[in-house]
Amino acid sequence: MTQPPTNAAQVTGLLLAAGGGRRLGGRPKALLPHRGRPLVENAVRVLREGGCRTVYVVLGAAAEEVRARADLAGCVLVDNPDWAEGMGSSLRAGLEALTKSDEVSGAALVSLVDQPGIGAEAVTRVLAAHRSGDSLAAASYDGKRGHPVLFGADRWADIAASATGDRGARAYLKAHEAEIALVECGDIAEPYDIDTEADLGRLQ
């Protein structure tokens, strides 16, 4: 496995895992079975193996059940009571928790719970793009921007202010497109989402 870059110690993983799986009949995505365990465990493992020193997990739908059924030991769990408003509220909740933490972090690496085709190697590559508190980087797949995305700490306040609805940081990223360091990951990862019943076949 690729060794995490030396600057990885300054980067915190931020996993957005609050979705209710509306198109999956209301099954929370964090609890979808994958390799015999809840999907959220896979996403946490990927961030850790990719080099994130600490992982924050934003929970929403069925948060108590996720806590009870998933092994999230060592993670910082963040509750998002407004999860039904969309991904933007989860991103805001996560960045707010990071900002208030006593643990200093130079950047957040944001990933989504429902992308099991993205593994630790992609995380490691994007982490390597961290240079400063102003860093802005994202994985790309055949040139198209995707996840994970790295936000330097100096950008968190502006990103949180622009995160609304289900668009997450899309508006911010579009406004700062010229500043994004794209890190090609199409050779090592697949950025599909688990959104519909048909997508469940991608889980093992």
Side-chain angles (χ1 to χ4, degrees), residues 87-161:
M87 192 191 306
S89 65
S90 289
L91 181 57
R92 289 197 309 273
L95 291 176
E96 181 180 351
L98 279 170
T99 301
K100 291 180 177 179
S101 173
D102 293 333
E103 188 175 13
V104 177
S105 180
L109 187 125
V110 180
S111 69
L112 308 180
V113 74
D114 66 340
Q115 294 190 320
I118 299 176
E121 283 186 284
V123 169
T124 300
R125 281 192 188 177
V126 177
L127 277 184
H130 177 227
R131 298 286 181 272
S132 69
D134 195 47
S135 290
L136 185 62
S140 65
Y141 301 89
D142 297 325
K144 183 178 180 181
R145 190 184 75 241
H147 284 86
V149 182
L150 184 139
F151 299 130
D154 294 349
R155 296 181 180 269
W156 292 351
D158 288 342
I159 292 167

Side-chain angles (χ1 to χ4, degrees), residues 24-114:
L24 289 165
R27 278 177 284 177
K29 290 186 177 183
L31 290 173
L32 293 174
H34 181 53
R35 298 174 181 170
R37 298 296 303 165
L39 186 58
V40 66
E41 290 183 13
N42 172 76
V44 167
R45 177 185 56 78
V46 164
L47 287 171
R48 285 180 171 151
E49 291 183 358
C52 291
R53 57 168 187 180
T54 305
V55 178
Y56 280 56
V57 182
V58 181
L59 300 177
E64 289 308 314
E65 188 178 356
V66 175
R67 277 183 157 88
R69 291 177 49 191
D71 180 3
L72 300 175
C75 295
V76 178
L77 304 184
V78 180
D79 283 310
N80 174 20
D82 302 318
W83 64 268
E85 293 178 6
M87 192 191 306
S89 65
S90 289
L91 181 57
R92 289 197 309 273
L95 291 176
E96 181 180 351
L98 279 170
T99 301
K100 291 180 177 179
S101 173
D102 293 333
E103 188 175 13
V104 177
S105 180
L109 187 125
V110 180
S111 69
L112 308 180
V113 74
D114 66 340

